[in-house]
Amino acid sequence: MGIEAAPKVLVFTDLHVTRAGRKIVGLDPAERFRQAFAHALANHPDAAHVVITGDLAHTGAEEEYRRLAEILDGAPVPVTLLPGNHDRREVLWSVFPDA
């Protein structure tokens, strides 16, 4: 009887997605995550799930969650979002009702 490999889970944390045009230390967190997410999916096509832990948004504004939703749209694997202290749960749930 062989040992089965556990499903591969990709984990991201503290995205701090900002509104369009806003940067943190000169970088656009949404664009950086877009690049990292694409890289991870391309290099780990056998991933079974993605977990993203808070802080998902920098200020908890709806626009920030909509930017994240745009990046995650069409993800080839299930994605679970876990809010952090910067996240406004009601706003998060309005954009991601299943979060």
Side-chain angles (χ1 to χ4, degrees):
M1 178 186 241
I3 298 175
E4 291 185 39
K8 184 182 288 186
V9 176
L10 304 177
V11 179
F12 294 88
T13 189
D14 289 282
L15 304 182
H16 285 271
V17 171
T18 59
R19 295 174 186 183
R22 295 222 171 145
K23 296 182 178 182
I24 299 175
V25 296
L27 301 170
D28 178 345
E31 185 54 35
R32 299 290 289 186
F33 174 62
R34 182 185 313 276
Q35 293 170 4
F37 191 55
H39 175 83
L41 293 174
N43 287 282
H44 300 281
D46 56 338
H49 203 96
V50 173
V51 175
I52 306 173
T53 64
D55 299 315
L56 306 170
H58 192 58
T59 67
E62 183 176 338
E63 181 183 345
E64 295 169 342
Y65 296 114
R66 294 216 178 275
R67 287 187 83 196
L68 178 57
E70 177 188 309
I71 296 167
L72 297 176
D73 185 44
V77 296
V79 176
T80 298
L81 302 175
L82 302 171
N85 65 309
H86 281 234
D87 294 303
R88 293 178 46 213
R89 282 146 179 79
E90 296 79 18
V91 181
L92 170 66
W93 295 327
S94 74
V95 176
F96 296 98
D98 296 327

